[in-house]
Amino acid sequence: MELSAASAAGTQALAARIGAVLQAGDLLVLTGELGAGKTTFTQGLGEGLGVRPGIISPTFVLVRSHPNLAGGPDLVHVDAYRLGSAAEIDDIDLENTLDSVVTVVEWGRGRVEHLSDSWLDITLVRATGTAPGAAGPAAVAAGPAAVAAGPAPGAAGPAPESPALDFDEAEEDEPRIIRIAAYGPRWEGRPLF
């Protein structure tokens, strides 16, 4: 399924609709370049689930838990960017809560699918690509240090600007394409909306 959102608010509204049908044990794998809207999407999921507002990226802590205020499952939000293997994912012990919460893993593709027999794979794409001066796919592939470090000493050209992070104010109205693929028995024959 491929959908589009014209703004951060549109991304959150779409995610809130998905959040409203999620249940304990659901796993969502979010993929997209820096600034694609993964955390913005997760904020919408949280709204649809009824978790406490204030979802921010778990980049530096790896895992954040968000309690549900409406009696539904809590939301566990993971950033797997710096985790290099399924073994490192296992080290953060997600399997102990997986059945009782909704788990969202940014940068999780190829790293967390072994945790569940069913999951939603969600890709967020900036319709216009990386903003001028922002870190491109090569820098992202090289890791966070390459994004922060800028060009190598002696390299020609000005230092790049900071990467655009999930819907920075200047980027709020940039459209996003959201691709959703459902895997496993949980999603067989069940519409998302």
Side-chain angles (χ1 to χ4, degrees), residues 1 12 14 18 38 41 51-52 57 69 77 86 88 96 133 135 140-141 146 148 166 169 173 189:
M1 167 185 314
Q12 288 175 331
L14 172 67
I18 294 170
K38 296 178 296 296
F41 187 89
V51 303
R52 182 178 13 197
S57 177
L69 302 175
H77 186 196
E88 288 182 313
N96 280 336
V140 171
D166 285 358
E169 287 183 29
D173 290 327

Side-chain angles (χ1 to χ4, degrees), residues 74-93:
D74 293 346
L75 173 66
V76 172
H77 186 196
V78 180
D79 186 322
Y81 188 77
R82 291 188 305 273
L83 302 177
S85 68
E88 288 182 313
I89 293 290
D90 290 343
D91 287 344
I92 59 175
D93 218 16

Side-chain angles (χ1 to χ4, degrees), residues 3-128:
L3 306 163
S4 63
S7 64
T11 298
Q12 288 175 331
L14 172 67
R17 289 175 57 200
I18 294 170
V21 301
L22 295 177
Q23 60 189 30
D26 285 341
L27 173 65
L28 290 81
V29 180
L30 303 185
T31 302
E33 67 181 333
L34 290 173
K38 296 178 296 296
T39 298
T40 300
F41 187 89
T42 304
Q43 290 166 346
L45 286 174
E47 181 181 329
L49 280 167
V51 303
R52 182 178 13 197
I55 293 173
I56 61 172
S57 177
T59 299
F60 299 106
V61 296
L62 300 181
V63 180
R64 289 189 190 274
S65 294
H66 303 281
N68 196 299
L69 302 175
D74 293 346
L75 173 66
V76 172
H77 186 196
V78 180
D79 186 322
Y81 188 77
R82 291 188 305 273
L83 302 177
S85 68
E88 288 182 313
I89 293 290
D90 290 343
D91 287 344
I92 59 175
D93 218 16
L94 293 176
E95 63 275 358
N96 280 336
T97 59
L98 197 64
D99 291 338
S100 61
V101 302
V102 171
T103 305
V104 176
V105 184
E106 295 186 20
W107 305 97
R109 185 177 288 155
R111 297 178 176 149
V112 298
E113 293 87 348
H114 70 283
L115 295 173
S116 180
D117 64 350
S118 298
W119 68 94
L120 294 177
D121 187 286
I122 301 171
T123 304
L124 292 101
V125 180
R126 295 172 73 174
T128 57

